[in-house]
Amino acid sequence: MATLALVNAQADSIFGPIIPGTTGKLGDAPVISNNTIGVTYQAVLPQSSTTGFRGYILGSSVTNGTGVVFSTNFYGFSDEASLGPFLYHIHDSPVPSDGNCTSTGAHLDPYVRGEIPPCDPSAPQMCQVGDLVGKHGNITASPFQAIYLDLYLSDQAGASAFFGNRSLVIHSSNTTRLTCANFTLLAAATTSSAGVPPSSTPTGEIPDSGSVNAKVVSGGAVLVGIFALFF
């Protein structure tokens, strides 16, 4: 499929220039090294009459428990290219039942870093924990697919950097909220009585880029593919 190229957003277009060394009031985000092996969360964008944005993001733990590998697949927004490049973040609160993206609150920011000045991608520990765009780049093509390791997010419920009970929000370049979705558990870790390392137990499915109603891969298959890329 041909891609629609979008010009990468300049960091100073809205929030001013990057100021190196800017960190949170509570300090830098620590590397998360105690994630549970075999856990995957997903956020699947809903059908919407107000935007063509579709797709999903997966967040999976890795074999050494350090960080989370994210895999994105966003598509369907070619007719909205003038609104891009697009931004996406993990927001602090889940999407309510009425689907109102405004109710998701601000970015996940347990160390009180704030949005201004913009995040410096060369120092991701100083970024808001939920600022995926600041750390890993904008949505710059349709379809948009990316895989990256984020060292600062947690799959441990109750941790300040836990993302599994929060939401993903897609924004236009002027930060208007276009669509949003909750993270839900796709694969849970299990441990056998024989001491076999944890493996994934699929609990849901995700769509491919052809149809949001298509049959999809299991959490276990996703994890195997991601582990092969990183380890």
Side-chain angles (χ1 to χ4, degrees):
M1 180 183 295
T3 60
L4 173 67
L6 300 171
V7 177
N8 200 26
Q10 297 298 311
D12 59 359
S13 60
I14 297 177
F15 298 118
I18 291 173
I19 300 176
T22 302
T23 190
K25 293 180 180 179
L26 301 181
D28 293 352
V31 172
I32 303 298
S33 58
N34 66 336
N35 283 330
T36 301
I37 301 169
V39 171
T40 297
Y41 286 91
Q42 64 170 343
V44 180
L45 298 176
Q47 296 280 10
S48 172
S49 61
T50 60
T51 179
F53 249 101
R54 301 291 186 268
Y56 60 85
I57 185 170
L58 294 172
S60 302
S61 58
V62 293
T63 54
N64 64 2
T66 299
V68 175
V69 171
F70 285 94
S71 175
T72 69
N73 184 10
F74 301 127
Y75 55 92
F77 50 93
S78 296
D79 293 342
E80 299 168 79
S82 62
L83 301 178
F86 300 93
L87 318 175
Y88 66 111
H89 313 97
I90 296 173
H91 281 236
D92 193 55
S93 300
V95 183
S97 58
D98 64 3
N100 185 349
C101 296
T102 303
S103 298
T104 61
H107 303 166
L108 176 59
D109 187 20
Y111 302 100
V112 199
R113 195 270 185 198
E115 293 185 48
I116 303 173
C119 172
D120 182 354
S122 68
Q125 73 277 10
M126 295 183 178
C127 301
Q128 291 178 301
V129 170
D131 187 3
L132 299 181
V133 159
K135 291 183 281 187
H136 307 289
N138 302 301
I139 298 173
T140 55
S142 177
F144 178 80
Q145 296 173 327
I147 297 176
Y148 50 80
L149 175 66
D150 191 296
L151 297 174
Y152 309 100
L153 282 152
S154 174
D155 67 7
Q156 299 289 303
S160 61
F162 177 56
F163 71 98
N165 62 347
R166 307 186 195 274
S167 58
L168 175 79
V169 178
I170 306 285
H171 305 256
S172 65
S173 61
N174 70 358
T175 73
T176 298
R177 301 183 186 200
L178 300 176
T179 187
C180 53
N182 287 328
F183 282 96
T184 58
L185 186 65
L186 177 65
T190 60
T191 304
S192 74
S193 59
V196 175
S199 61
S200 62
T201 300
T203 60
E205 295 184 326
I206 56 170
D208 63 20
S209 59
S211 169
V212 292
N213 296 313
K215 184 170 178 61
V216 292
V217 295
S218 71
V222 170
L223 288 168
V224 169
I226 289 174
F227 291 162
L229 284 172
F230 281 85
F231 298 94

